[in-house]
Amino acid sequence: MVGAVTNGPATSGVGPAPVAFDDAMRSYEPVLGLETHVELGTASKMFCSCATAFGAAPNTQVCPVCLALPGSLPVVNGAAVESAIRLGLALNCSVASWCRFARKNYFYPDMPKNYQISQYDEPLCSDGYLDVTVDTPEGPREFRVEIERVHMEEDTGKTAHMGGATGRIHGAEYSIVDYNRAGIPLLEIVTKPIEHTGELAPQVARAYVAELRDLVRSLGISDVRMEQGSLRCDVNVSLMPRGGTEWGTRSETKNVNSLRSVERAVRSEIERQAGVLNSGGRVVQETRHFQENTGTSVPGRSKEEAQDYRYFPDPDLVPVAPSAEWVEELRATLPELPAAKRARIKAEWSLSDEELRDLVNADAIELVAATVEAGAPPADARKWWLNELSRRATETEVELADLPITPEQVARVVALVAEGALTNKLARQVVDGVLNGEGDPDTVVEARGLKVVSDDSALGAAVDEAIAGDPDAAEKVRNGKVAAAGALVGAVMRATRGQADAGRARALILERLGVQ
Amino acid sequence: MTASEIVRMTAAELGAAVRSGQTSAEEATGAYLDRVAEVDGQVNAFLHVDRDTALAQARAVDARLAAGEDPGPLAGVPVAHKDVFTTADMPTTAASRILEGWRPPYDATVTARLRQAGMVVLGKTNMDEFAMGSSTENSAYGVTRNPWDLDRIPGGSSGGSSAAVAAFEAPLATGTDTGGSIRQPAAVCGLVGAKPTYGGSSRYGLIAFASSLDTPGPLARNVLDAALLHEAFSGHDPRDSTSVDAPVPPVVEAARRADVEGLRVGVVKELGGEGYQPGVLRRFTEAVELLESLGAKVVEVSCPSFDAALAAYYLIAPSECSSNLARFDAMRYGLRVGDDGTRSAEEVMSLTRAEGFGPEVKRRIILGTYALSSGYYDAYYGSAQQVRTLIKRDFDAAFENVDVLVSPTTPTTAFPLGERTGDPMAMYLADLCTIPANLAGNAALSVPCGLADEDNLPVGLQIMAPALADDRTYRVAAAVEAALADRRGGPLLAGSAFAV
């Protein structure tokens, strides 16, 4: 079923040296445009009933429709339309009362029909906006990013290039195709040109994608995992001379698959284009591919020899015509959106601008809020996510939200500490266990035997042993050098493998040695 | 019951005979398989016949009947499928090299519903490649011959189906009608063929030519049989978004009613006159007079936009086909040419399509690709869609004053094989009268109205009705059929060279 065919070489080119960002910004004003694809989390595909689970064995989630077998026909997934309308409403768009799907025609081995069902001149949602906040030395600054459109389409399959050194098409011996992804519903969100950002362009781009991701997540329509490709971003950049009015030629950088990459891609493309323009060159309208390892991009196909997609309304599908009543019903289902939630949380938890910024930057706001919702005091919830868990995420190179621990589990750990059942040190070990996949906090406590030793007779024995084992220290304490008790507490903690409550142990030692 | 008795029966009679136990599905199927074996060497109506599979199906139907199940009036009646419908137990090629040997993993809705109705699939019939043509000469697997005259075309694109039914190789056959591909072959083979309302019969499993036009429909030797088949596979299908969610028009009841008393019949002024074969026009005029004599009120109606129908069709259908046929790329199924490890995917696609598609298919893909191209879209595809709207309006206006419209089905009788293969425009003219109903999506049917004096070949009367008023076409056709049979003293097909 899989085409095993060789591919021709990709083109490559080397341009003039890039210009340092600050220098570039002195001469040019960037104009951005962002096209974001969100894979919807619907149970079935856009036009057939195949499952959409990520990571299934290749070509197991396919059927005559998504393999484009002769005679098969698409049928629109109503849940995907609903998701699209909800996102459109959350982005302050107007929702079309009548629109059609269009066929985008081009040949590619991972696209079974050799056309993609998409929307062309009749998008479902249009003309909205999303406000984003960027930190500046002068404090937070808000930008309104205008949304051109939100439209529905289907994803393609995935091609893997085999036998080469790089996994890229160039140098590969053959290619294999997995059609599981073919037909997964996508929403494409396209911004209008974003102007007047100046040197904040990279941050604005990043803040927009982050805000959009949070918005989508809050709607529950996608898991928006950039590393799994369920949120993908194409970055359009052009430069115009400072004080100019005419936009320059834009490039489109694809394969930008993390928030950090969005920022880096904009920055490096500004530097590259400034280099081209400063050397008297001309920016070519082209598609470029972002390279995670270098933080720069390489040229793909040139749009100046662009394909003609021959869009036309898909005759296999009937128009989508959401009634005004339905749209209003969906509007009523919108949850509290991230911006409103942030404002509320800031007020409710009495956070400063900086504290809120730390939460936002750590991508922890939803996690903390969920932890609070599960019963933890806000300060404890923040502390856990911003310190211990952020550190673990950085160490293991995953997003905070992808750590294998839930807000409910964190809240339980907080509760155990508050009850006195765990010390902070033990609590970290419990978190270790949860992250290790050993189960819920209570299960880990049980299995690892991590309960605080609060039984005075057991603790008392350990204290007596410690005093007997270090008579010098005991004598010093008796003579009023209370600080010397630290060595005895340490011995107790060692003897109890850290499970004793250190405060209680200290009190017992002082009591035995007649010091109150 | 003897084999010749069986193949001479109408489908309705055969169904009744199976139900009453006078014969069995197995016996009926065997009789038809024998007939195919006897004459298909001359006619070449079939691309695929599998005796064992057909007989096994027939026995299963007999078992269902024996178990007390009632699959419907066509249980035990054999049927031939145009090779454009997918069949899970037989190859499906659309008469193209590019699908040679392809076995679909699924049944088309039409196929599945007829199995459910207890019909036995005899085999798959020849057609113009991907249903593009009016003579079945565009098949990659050889021409099919007209049973009335083996040197003439059986019509197309459903020419294998029309020839099979006309040669008594099948009592019934399915076809598809995109621009006349059921009505035109029915007309030139002396059969009844209906193009149901667009969306009235499911396209799921029909290999697409032009999605906004393709319509599955029946071919039969008489009006009632056509109605029975029409009813058996029609109705809403959730797997085809363009399927109409409405009750199937009462076509069987209409075919039995067969009266036109008080019915208002409009003769389309633009479909007739210059360029039409005199013998065709003479039979058509007589048919109109006949309707009048049966109590219909006949008026002339003008549909001025019909003059642009052919041009609009040859932009819309190729545009859609250029996209629909893009999936034949050697990646997942069908022919693969040049995959020797040195060529890119694009080269393999290109070589495969160059070798796998015939000249007419390529012509239409190129036409459609051009018509949809940036800078030409508005002038070609866009204008054609506007014409389509005008044609719909002409129909709407006409149907305010009349119940049905009539015209000859084709400008000429069956033309000789090879006569038009070098002249695509002449070939396209064969669909001049049938195309408007496809563009508007309404119901239409062709019923025999006699033989042309010049060549003694069948002439078809086309009856057109509003969308979802398919029953009216059957009512009129049944009245014409009955009156002509009385006048003639028997069915038209009794005079064919392959009559039994």
Side-chain angles (χ1 to χ4, degrees), chain A residues 1 3-6 67-75 103 105 107 112-115 308 310-313 315-316 318, chain B residues 102 105-106 203 205-206 211 238-239 241 323-324 326-327 329 331-333 336 339 341-345 369 373-374 377:
Chain A
M1 296 289 281
V5 285
T6 56
L67 283 175
L69 296 194
S72 64
L73 293 173
V75 176
R103 293 186 184 178
N105 294 286
F107 282 84
K113 297 183 291 292
N114 286 312
Y115 60 80
D308 179 353
R310 292 174 281 117
Y311 282 102
F312 74 108
D316 283 334
V318 289
Chain B
W102 181 59
Y106 74 107
R203 293 186 296 115
L206 185 183
S211 311
R239 287 192 292 188
S241 309
S323 177
N324 282 334
R327 69 186 58 195
D329 62 0
M331 292 297 117
R332 296 165 307 283
Y333 44 77
R336 182 182 286 183
D339 181 20
T342 70
R343 293 193 172 89
S344 72
T369 303
S373 295
S374 168
Y377 180 94

Side-chain angles (χ1 to χ4, degrees), chain A residues 19-168:
Chain A
V19 168
F21 186 74
D22 290 345
D23 293 338
M25 293 317 304
R26 268 190 281 280
S27 313
Y28 302 103
E29 170 70 29
V31 179
L32 303 179
L34 293 153
E35 291 173 21
T36 312
H37 287 93
V38 170
E39 263 187 17
L40 291 177
T42 50
S44 60
K45 290 186 178 180
M46 186 72 219
F47 299 111
C48 64
S49 56
C50 284
T52 55
F54 181 81
N59 296 308
T60 55
Q61 293 173 352
V62 292
C63 74
V65 176
C66 58
L67 283 175
L69 296 194
S72 64
L73 293 173
V75 176
V76 174
N77 180 343
V81 177
E82 186 174 309
S83 296
I85 293 175
R86 293 179 73 229
L87 179 59
L89 292 173
L91 287 169
N92 310 292
C93 290
S94 50
V95 178
S97 57
W98 190 93
C99 65
R100 287 179 294 188
F101 285 97
R103 293 186 184 178
K104 181 180 183 180
N105 294 286
Y106 64 100
F107 282 84
Y108 204 79
D110 63 17
M111 193 163 59
K113 297 183 291 292
N114 286 312
Y115 60 80
Q116 180 190 32
I117 305 179
S118 180
Q119 293 194 280
Y120 181 49
D121 49 1
E122 299 167 3
L124 181 58
C125 307
S126 54
D127 297 318
Y129 61 84
L130 182 62
D131 291 327
V132 304
T133 307
V134 169
D135 285 317
T136 72
E138 294 81 41
R141 204 177 134 192
E142 195 161 273
F143 286 88
R144 171 155 293 185
V145 176
E146 293 194 85
I147 305 295
E148 170 87 31
R149 57 191 284 160
V150 177
H151 76 242
M152 301 173 282
E153 59 184 32
E154 56 177 338
D155 212 341
T156 60
K158 259 187 200 164
T159 306
H161 303 295
M162 313 297 284
T166 59
R168 288 175 57 81

Side-chain angles (χ1 to χ4, degrees), chain A residues 322-396:
Chain A
S323 69
E325 295 74 37
W326 189 39
V327 171
E328 288 318 305
E329 273 171 37
L330 291 176
R331 196 189 299 278
T333 70
L334 295 183
E336 182 183 31
L337 300 180
K341 188 169 205 165
R342 280 197 304 272
R344 178 176 59 80
I345 280 175
K346 183 168 187 281
E348 280 181 11
W349 302 352
S350 312
L351 300 180
S352 66
D353 281 346
E354 289 70 33
E355 285 168 330
L356 180 67
R357 185 197 59 202
D358 288 347
L359 273 179
V360 170
N361 287 351
D363 227 347
I365 204 153
E366 291 295 330
L367 297 165
V368 172
T371 309
V372 171
E373 206 149 288
D380 290 326
R382 270 171 55 217
K383 188 189 74 187
W384 274 100
W385 285 106
L386 289 185
N387 302 332
E388 184 67 16
L389 292 168
S390 286
R391 190 174 59 74
R392 302 297 180 96
T394 310
E395 277 169 15
T396 50

